[in-house]
Amino acid sequence: MRWMRLWLWPLALLWSLALAFPRVGVHEGFTRLAFDLPSKEVRHTLAQEVGALTLVLEGVSAPAQDQVVNSREVASVQILPEMGRVRVVVRLKGPVEATVRRFSDPERLVVDLALKAQTAPSPPAAPAALPHRAPKPPRPVVLLDPGHGGVDPGMVGYVVEKEVVLDVALRLKRLLEGEGVEVRLTRERDAHLSPDKREDLSRRAALADSSQVNLFISIHVNATPTHTGRGVEVFYFGRAQDPRVLSQVIRENGGGELGKRLTQEAQSVAERILSDIVAQANQRYSQRLAETLGRKLSQATGSPYRGSFPGDFFVLRYAKVPAVLVEIGFGDHPVEGRRLAEPAYREKVAQGLLLGVLTFLANGAYAR
């Protein structure tokens, strides 16, 4: 499977991506701490003593916390904010070897901790052992969210949105599983998660839990008041700058006064992101995922790529993994709407999304 040939990118770190500082990945034989940094100007120093390792990051701010890890190498990680810097105290379970690496785009520091080999008397000669096989990396998990469903049909034009996106999500699930990727769905049939729109969106958002999934992709069909829009758009969470995007956000958040109210709630979360460097890092990953999905989807279908944009989407507001909302086309366009009704075209849409996901995973967006 092609997925297994692409495992040079850091899967276990992707598994642990979350709004945490640091992001912690527990691997076979070592524990990884990944620190998202605000700029290249951040300096670091590392000191080790019996039972503990202390990392100081100059020019970084983060809230105080005490995170239990309980891996073979690490018991816990404590964050101690100080004036103009952060001190990180790692409680160790034994003598470790620390490997520190710095990466850019985005800027991050990665610390790998492995237990030192213990010396022991040489054992009697034994028969030749079988060749050592490296452990298989854990499979990535992608959460697909077919928008709307049940009492909420979504847009209705040449197609009904809730029907198209469910069909595309099921096709994409089949394709991803064929590449060794585990897939979960927020819904697998024509059903809502709650008849209350706010609760429905909140339940979908809650499933984007970094301890369970690696990527979150919400699939939708677009529409315009003039029925002239055509093409692919992808959104990541952030303050909508364009009035057109804001109108679209309100529609996807439930429409009318409800949509406005839920958009205002999401906007308050977006404002907090501006002052949270870890959330900003997750936003950058989401932006990169949006751009990759949009271009691959456009290439596979021939539909124009209209761009990726920030938007105050309620379903994305608390995602702790790279998360996007993709509009696969305009269901009210006289040409594109009819294409979205065709099974062969929906298969092309699923193929484009597949290529986008695999490209994002293989491109080493995380510490390599």
Side-chain angles (χ1 to χ4, degrees), residues 291-301 351-353 355-356 359:
E291 187 75 14
T292 304
L293 283 178
R295 293 193 181 281
K296 293 299 183 182
L297 180 53
S298 175
Q299 292 169 9
T301 61
Q351 288 280 357
L353 294 174
L355 291 174
T359 300

Side-chain angles (χ1 to χ4, degrees), residues 41-352:
E41 308 305 317
V42 174
R43 301 189 307 275
H44 69 274
T45 57
L46 187 69
Q48 189 170 347
E49 56 188 72
V50 177
L53 179 146
T54 301
L55 173 69
V56 176
L57 297 169
E58 301 281 353
V60 171
S61 62
Q65 63 168 299
D66 198 343
Q67 181 179 357
V68 175
V69 177
N70 198 27
S71 67
R72 288 184 60 199
E73 299 81 15
V74 177
S76 66
V77 178
Q78 188 177 20
I79 303 298
L80 301 172
E82 299 175 352
M83 185 67 69
R85 67 181 191 176
V86 167
R87 186 156 53 94
V88 183
V89 179
V90 183
R91 303 295 177 187
L92 305 172
K93 290 187 174 181
V96 303
E97 292 181 357
T99 303
V100 182
R101 293 175 293 164
R102 190 81 175 250
F103 300 94
S104 298
D105 190 29
E107 197 71 20
R108 58 214 186 275
L109 184 74
V110 175
V111 181
D112 288 339
L113 302 172
L115 289 175
K116 290 182 178 179
Q118 302 294 310
T119 58
S122 300
L130 294 174
H132 174 70
R133 291 185 179 180
K136 290 184 178 180
R139 293 201 302 169
V141 183
V142 175
L143 176 63
L144 301 179
D145 172 41
H148 309 281
V151 297
D152 179 10
M155 72 77 55
V156 178
Y158 292 95
V159 293
V160 178
E161 181 174 6
K162 68 175 183 178
E163 298 172 357
V164 173
V165 297
L166 178 59
D167 183 51
V168 168
L170 292 172
R171 292 171 184 271
L172 180 56
K173 178 178 185 290
R174 168 178 53 80
L175 294 172
L176 283 168
E177 288 176 342
E179 297 291 341
V181 178
E182 184 177 343
V183 179
R184 300 178 187 178
L185 296 173
T186 58
R187 65 181 182 96
E188 300 186 45
R189 56 190 177 87
D190 181 16
H192 48 261
L193 276 65
S194 170
D196 177 76
K197 187 64 177 179
R198 187 187 191 284
E199 179 64 20
D200 180 86
L201 292 174
S202 293
R203 290 184 183 180
R204 294 170 194 253
L207 293 172
D209 180 350
S210 61
S211 68
Q212 301 294 322
V213 303
N214 306 125
L215 302 179
F216 176 67
I217 301 172
S218 188
I219 305 173
H220 292 257
V221 173
N222 219 333
T224 60
T226 59
H227 312 301
T228 58
R230 178 172 177 258
V232 173
E233 295 180 332
V234 193
F235 298 87
Y236 54 95
F237 188 68
R239 288 301 306 268
Q241 306 297 324
D242 187 327
R244 180 192 65 82
V245 172
L246 181 58
S247 298
Q248 186 173 352
V249 168
I250 291 172
R251 178 174 65 82
E252 293 292 8
N253 284 345
E257 291 304 314
L258 170 63
K260 292 179 181 178
R261 188 168 68 252
L262 296 187
T263 299
Q264 289 174 350
E265 285 190 44
Q267 285 173 344
S268 66
V269 177
E271 289 171 357
R272 289 200 298 273
I273 283 181
L274 297 177
S275 59
D276 185 332
I277 63 170
V278 181
Q280 288 173 21
N282 191 60
Q283 187 187 38
R284 289 196 297 272
Y285 294 133
S286 297
Q287 184 176 359
R288 185 176 300 182
L289 174 61
E291 187 75 14
T292 304
L293 283 178
R295 293 193 181 281
K296 293 299 183 182
L297 180 53
S298 175
Q299 292 169 9
T301 61
S303 182
Y305 175 49
R306 296 164 60 97
S308 60
F309 312 93
D312 313 278
F313 290 95
F314 201 76
V315 75
L316 301 180
R317 72 197 189 285
Y318 289 135
K320 296 181 179 180
V321 295
V324 297
L325 185 148
V326 54
E327 300 277 7
I328 61 175
F330 286 77
D332 59 350
H333 187 275
V335 175
E336 194 161 73
R338 289 187 173 96
R339 284 181 178 170
L340 286 167
E342 299 170 0
Y345 186 79
R346 295 181 189 179
E347 186 70 14
K348 288 183 179 180
V349 171
Q351 288 280 357

